[in-house]
């Protein structure tokens, strides 16, 4: 793939991922917007965006078995709902840093369930990542067990989801947009049922409550950005790998961490900064070893071409 196209895709994902965090946090903190309702709106907006893509012939839909897409849609629901609940119940910094644990989780899933080998060097890099996240969470003055549980569930479901996305694309011989085209409406339908049970639209702070124009505009903006996030996630995973997506994604957490500090006045203690630094060291080490291994594998091919 052309480097310029890959760079553009990564930049879109970085910008949209940062925006969606701040928009969602703003809705939770300043407007008390219900979590699952917001997620359902995001899925619906994503499907509408995909329909427009089909209308303008951006991609051609492919007929897939709905039953086979259901498990992926269910994990998609859990992935977004639990990460949003983590954002709602944790500081922005703790929420973002906890997402770094998806890399060790994916390495573990690949190792134990897919018999995919990783070098000892790469396995050792998960230690500073886990240690750094622990230090940040432990010294977070707003630490709470509810937020920790949601963050942990988010890591597990996100890791499973991202691994499945890569395998399902190969299984169905479908590109990222064709798969998301089926997945988004199924996920929206699942969450719509959950909303009626847990977040009735007529209840206080429900969808039909009296919301201000500014609240609705932020919800609309978050829906549009969510479409960009979902699309770019599929594009990156489909054209690289789940681990690559996570490692690129971790570069975003420094900006998000600063945004939490300046926008939402989240405390940032020296021990937390040490945790961030340790996590970053693990990420940098992982990236170095991964790139070294990839270059080593490509070397025989390059020599043969000469």
């Amino acid at each position: 793939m052309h480097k310029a196209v890959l760079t553009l895709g990564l930049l879109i994902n970085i910008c949209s991922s940062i925006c969606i965090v701040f928009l969602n946090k703003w809705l939770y903190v300043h407007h008390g917007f219900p979590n699952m309702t917001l997620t359902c709106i995001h899925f619906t907006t994503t499907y509408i965006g995909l329909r427009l893509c089909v209308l303008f012939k951006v991609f051609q839909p492919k007929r897939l078995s709905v039953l086979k897409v259901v498990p992926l849609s269910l994990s998609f629901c859990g992935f977004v709902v639990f990460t949003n609940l983590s954002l709602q119940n944790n500081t922005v910094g703790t929420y973002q840093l906890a997402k770094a644990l998806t890399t060790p989780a994916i390495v573990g899933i690949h190792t134990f369930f897919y018999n995919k080998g990783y070098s000892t060097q790469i396995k050792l890099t998960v230690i500073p990542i886990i240690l750094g996240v622990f230090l940040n969470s432990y010294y977070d003055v707003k630490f709470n067990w509810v937020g920790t549980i949601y963050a942990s569930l988010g890591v597990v479901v996100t890791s499973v989801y991202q691994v499945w996305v890569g395998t399902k694309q190969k299984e169905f011989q479908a590109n990222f947009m064709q798969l998301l085209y089926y997945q988004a409406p199924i996920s929206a339908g699942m969450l719509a049922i959950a909303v009626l049970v847990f977040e009735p639209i007529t209840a206080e702070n429900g969808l039909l409550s009296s919301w201000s124009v500014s609240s609705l505009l932020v919800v609309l903006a978050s829906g549009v950005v969510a479409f960009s996030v979902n699309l770019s996630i599929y594009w990156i995973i489909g054209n690289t790998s789940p681990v690559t997506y996570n490692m690129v994604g971790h570069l975003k957490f420094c900006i998000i961490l600063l945004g939490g500090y300046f926008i939402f006045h989240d405390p940032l203690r020296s021990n937390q900064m040490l945790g961030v630094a340790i996590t970053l060291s693990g990420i940098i080490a992982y990236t170095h070893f991964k790139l070294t291994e990839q270059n080593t594998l490509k070397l025989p091919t390059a020599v043969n071409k000469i």
Side-chain angles (χ1 to χ4, degrees):
M1 177 171 294
H2 198 279
K3 288 185 178 180
V5 176
L6 181 59
T7 301
L8 178 61
L10 295 177
L11 285 175
I12 291 174
N13 178 260
I14 290 171
C15 293
S16 58
S17 296
I18 292 172
C19 287
I20 196 66
V21 170
F22 293 150
L23 287 172
N24 287 355
K25 188 66 174 180
W26 188 269
L27 284 169
Y28 296 146
V29 171
H30 296 285
H31 302 281
F33 204 84
N35 177 283
M36 284 189 287
T37 300
L38 181 62
T39 306
C40 187
I41 291 173
H42 288 174
F43 291 162
T44 303
T45 306
T46 296
Y47 180 63
I48 293 173
L50 289 170
R51 290 289 298 176
L52 290 174
C53 288
V54 172
L55 182 64
F56 288 101
K57 302 185 185 302
V58 175
F59 74 100
Q60 181 67 35
K62 181 176 182 178
R63 185 177 296 276
L64 301 175
S65 171
V66 174
L67 291 178
K68 290 184 178 181
V69 179
V70 167
L72 189 61
S73 298
L74 187 60
S75 66
F76 190 35
C77 291
F79 153 47
V80 180
V81 168
F82 284 129
T83 52
N84 280 347
L85 285 170
S86 173
L87 177 61
Q88 189 172 12
N89 290 275
N90 292 310
T91 60
V92 172
T94 295
Y95 151 83
Q96 184 64 21
L97 205 62
K99 290 172 65 177
L101 293 175
T102 53
T103 296
I106 287 176
V107 170
I109 291 172
H110 278 156
T111 301
F112 293 107
F113 296 100
Y114 289 87
N115 295 319
K116 182 177 180 179
Y118 286 88
S119 67
T120 301
Q121 291 176 321
I122 287 183
K123 290 179 180 178
L124 288 175
T125 62
V126 307
I127 296 176
I129 294 175
I130 295 173
L131 178 61
V133 173
F134 173 78
L135 282 175
N136 175 79
S137 301
Y138 183 80
Y139 288 105
D140 188 345
V141 296
K142 293 185 179 180
F143 172 84
N144 66 91
W145 284 108
V146 174
T148 300
I149 291 172
Y150 284 139
S152 301
L153 290 171
V155 167
V156 173
V157 179
T158 300
S159 303
V160 171
Y161 168 73
Q162 291 182 20
V163 170
W164 279 2
V165 167
T167 57
K168 290 297 182 183
Q169 282 187 232
K170 294 178 181 177
E171 177 185 341
F172 298 146
Q173 293 296 302
N175 62 40
F176 62 101
M177 298 184 78
Q178 291 171 329
L179 194 56
L180 187 58
Y181 182 76
Y182 272 81
Q183 182 193 308
I186 297 174
S187 298
M190 290 177 175
L191 273 185
I193 297 173
V195 165
L196 293 176
V197 176
F198 299 103
E199 297 176 352
I201 59 177
T202 57
E204 183 180 1
N205 283 342
L207 184 61
L208 298 183
S209 298
S210 179
W211 296 100
S212 65
V213 175
S214 61
S215 299
L216 296 177
L217 288 175
V218 176
V219 170
L220 179 61
S222 70
V224 174
V225 175
F227 167 66
S228 175
V229 172
N230 292 330
L231 206 60
S232 59
I233 285 175
Y234 265 76
W235 187 88
I236 292 173
I237 294 176
N239 289 281
T240 56
S241 71
V243 177
T244 299
Y245 164 72
N246 272 280
M247 297 318 300
V248 172
H250 294 330
L251 298 177
K252 298 175 283 193
F253 87 89
C254 288
I255 300 175
I256 292 176
L257 190 68
L258 291 174
Y261 178 77
F262 288 109
I263 299 175
F264 299 101
H265 307 292
D266 291 340
L268 193 59
R269 304 166 72 180
S270 58
N271 289 326
Q272 289 178 269
M273 290 300 297
L274 177 61
V276 172
I278 293 174
T279 300
L280 266 177
S281 69
I283 292 172
I284 293 171
Y286 175 93
T287 304
H288 170 72
F289 293 135
K290 193 68 176 178
L291 289 174
T292 300
E293 290 182 4
Q294 289 176 347
N295 290 334
T296 301
L297 291 174
K298 291 178 180 178
L299 184 59
T301 303
V303 172
N304 289 336
K305 287 182 179 179
I306 295 175

